[in-house]
Amino acid sequence: MIDEAYKTNIEQRIVDAIADALEAGKIQESQLPEISQYVLSQINKITTHDQLIGFLSHLSLRWNIFHHIAVEEEGKLKKVVETKVAQDMVRLINQGDTNQAVNLAESIKPQ
Amino acid sequence: MASVDLKSAETLGRAALEKTPSTGLTPEQQLAKKIKDEASKKGPHSTLEDMRSPRTPDQTKVEHYLEDHFYSKIDADGKKDREGGSRAETRFNQAKAAEAAGRKFIEHGWDPTKLNTNEQKFIKDSVKAVIESWPDGKAFIDSLPVASRSAAVDTMIIDMLQNPDMKPAVQKIFAGVFDEAKIREHITTEAGAKLAREKAKQSAIDGEITIITGKITTNATELGEYDPTKTKGKDLAKLDSEAALAQHSQAEAKSKIDDINSNIATNQSYLRRLNPSHPSFATDKKTLEDEISLLKGEKTIQEKALKEATDKLVQRQLLIQEKQQLQEERKRLSEEKAALEKQKDDIDDAVNRANTEFASQQSRHEKTEEQIVNELQSVFTDAAREYLIQKVTKLETARQELIDKEAKEKEESKDKVSDDEKKLGKYLDNYWMRDISNRGALKKWWNPNNKEFDRKGINTSYKEMITAGPDQVLWQLLRGSDSTKFPNRTAAETWINDPANSAVVERMRVQVAEQLITRRLQTGSITEGDARFIASSTWGKDAIDVAIKRKSDIQTQINKLKESGIIKGNVGEWVYEQVRKNPVFWLSLIFGSAAFSAIGSAVIGAGLLTTASFAGAGGVLMTGGLAGAKHNLS
């Protein structure tokens, strides 16, 4: 689940990215209403990390100035998943279910 | 005033708009800093919300922009000037006034304490013009009783201006006028400078030609003196005629003088050789001295004759020389003038070309000025249009959602909508419409779809309904919606009159009546007699109920009146009573498109509806019964 504090953190990074992009001349002031409108209309709907990743992917597709945020969040999610998988694998191995542990490990291998 | 080496006004305009304050940061850097500062103070969410509306352009920058864009003259130093009484000055004042009104509205909203009388009038007139340019709006205004129309329209306009959605609409349009990306192509004053340079050349050569023409005139006057009728001409002619004689006299006098000199010398020689001791010495001496004296007298006479003859000849020669010099001068001056005139022709051509180019640029510049004025003066009309379109879309969507919800509920209930009703509903959606493209008409701002109302069909059906009730229209619609089931009028009427179909037919009548009254109001008007007839008929009342249910804004306003105690008892009865008292207005409000209620429901909420008829109240809008209702039309 994504709590309000996390959303605020994402919003802060989005705002920082906007300011940096403006300063670097990557976006124009006239684009701000469209960007902020899109962010505000989408971010309120987000409740899970998956939704957040989906939102950030779309956001960075429309404006690549947000690409780094999407990548960072995807990385975080991947790390969370890997940690969880590792814990589950240890648990399965301890239970003697090696096959299941192997299957689990296979499931997160990149395609 | 000559113009030289001017900077492009476009560049100056941009410079004015982009002028960087003393912080040394670019506008983008300033904005980035501001965003970060705001995010740290207000949080990122509020910052993002602030970003949604385009920033109102900085007043100082806008003032610079206007100052820089409106001018009637550019001097040699590139300084622009708006001359008093020039069109540029008029346009500048218009632009400034419209800019001030827009800025104050964005800052304070509709606040008569901040907006001066002219600004209030300008803003209200702009909104009114939009409402009146919109057929629905015009029809609604026309539906208002004459006595209360002005106050009601004022209420509607102020309601619109006070609506929280109006300010962002104005802000968006206003910011768009000064959008840097939109700063339009501006006059390149190089053309003005070129013209000034060419004109300076023209002026210089004109001066030279004037001087040489003056010299030619003087020369002609002087040469004219040699005309045979003028003094010098006469003198020269006389001298010419005397020249031969004078030359002869000169030669003769010279010869005589030579002879005399010789004789004098001889006599003086004799005189020196006389012997004083000779007895005739005295006599001889006197004879010789007398002879010499006589010769000298003669010599003086001859010398005078010589001088006279020489003087004449010299004088003649001088006159001839002067005349020749004047003639040569005339030739030289004429050649010089011809050369200058040739140069002038080239310069004149260059001036004409520069003038044409400048005139074209000036015309473009004036158009630019006009465009800025028009855009600024259109801020409120454009914003009002956008506001109304959004409002109407929202209301239509809400209304459609309610209709869909009703349909879904019915579908799920045992009182399921029959296929006949579904077909009829679908058929009704487009029954009184026609494609604009069929007749090549242009789309209008209030009707972005390519459909328009079939006014003729609506009028025919409406008259039929008023004359014979909705069944008269219904059978035709049934036939149209399902020609297999209803192959002819008899089949349709038999079905309508079948008691087994009474519930469905009842709903269909309401459906038809609601749609037809709505369409009628969208394309024309309803007479007071018709309105009373509709409001007193069963199908009319049912249609009113259905229509009100689907218009949340009217319900909101009616609820307000109920809560404030103005409506006592049954709301439905109160509404029917209002419809009977002020039938045209109410039917317009209830059945008119969402547009009517978008602009008109404020009239109800403002307490402009009374329990007495508008007409009957003789123009008095409020009665004692509505003393508690608030209104601000004083």
Side-chain angles (χ1 to χ4, degrees), chain B residues 137-178:
Chain B
K138 179 79 171 64
F140 183 78
I141 289 174
D142 290 345
S143 80
L144 293 161
V146 175
S148 57
R149 189 173 293 165
S150 172
V153 169
D154 207 51
T155 301
M156 287 192 298
I157 291 169
I158 290 172
D159 179 70
M160 269 179 73
L161 291 167
Q162 287 176 332
N163 192 295
D165 291 337
M166 190 67 183
K167 209 161 94 168
V170 171
Q171 188 172 7
K172 185 179 158 199
I173 308 282
F174 185 81
V177 176
F178 296 104

Side-chain angles (χ1 to χ4, degrees), chain A residues 7-9 11-16 18-20 22-23 25 27-30 32-37 39-41 43-44, chain B residues 25-33 35-36 39-40 43-56 179-181:
Chain A
K7 273 193 200 176
T8 304
N9 173 275
E11 286 175 341
Q12 181 62 55
R13 284 154 68 194
I14 288 172
V15 168
D16 287 344
I18 290 172
D20 291 343
L22 262 178
E23 207 164 354
I27 55 168
Q28 302 293 316
E29 183 186 349
S30 56
L32 299 189
E34 191 190 352
I35 297 173
S36 53
Q37 176 61 36
V39 171
L40 290 167
S41 67
I43 206 158
N44 286 339
Chain B
L25 299 175
T26 66
E28 289 74 22
Q29 287 170 332
Q30 286 174 54
L31 182 59
K33 185 175 179 301
I35 288 171
K36 284 184 177 172
S40 67
H45 194 81
S46 295
T47 308
L48 284 165
E49 280 180 339
D50 288 347
M51 276 183 212
R52 271 198 294 198
S53 301
R55 281 194 313 156
T56 308
D179 185 345
E180 285 178 31

Side-chain angles (χ1 to χ4, degrees), chain B residues 361-425:
Chain B
Q361 299 227 5
Q362 196 175 32
S363 160
R364 283 221 303 275
H365 169 70
E366 291 200 1
K367 282 192 182 111
T368 302
E369 288 188 354
E370 279 164 16
Q371 192 187 342
I372 298 170
V373 173
N374 287 342
E375 284 187 20
L376 277 169
Q377 289 187 332
S378 303
V379 163
F380 284 93
T381 48
D382 291 350
R385 254 184 226 122
E386 195 162 313
Y387 165 89
L388 283 171
I389 288 170
Q390 280 179 5
K391 181 107 177 167
V392 170
T393 307
K394 212 165 141 188
L395 289 167
E396 288 286 12
T397 307
R399 183 170 171 270
Q400 193 54 48
E401 280 171 1
L402 278 170
I403 293 169
D404 293 345
K405 195 179 157 202
E406 281 171 24
K408 198 178 169 195
E409 282 169 2
K410 270 192 180 173
E411 195 63 28
E412 288 164 356
S413 72
K414 57 181 178 182
D415 189 17
K416 211 172 167 180
V417 179
S418 68
D419 286 346
D420 295 318
E421 273 179 279
K422 283 182 194 164
K423 278 183 188 168
L424 183 78

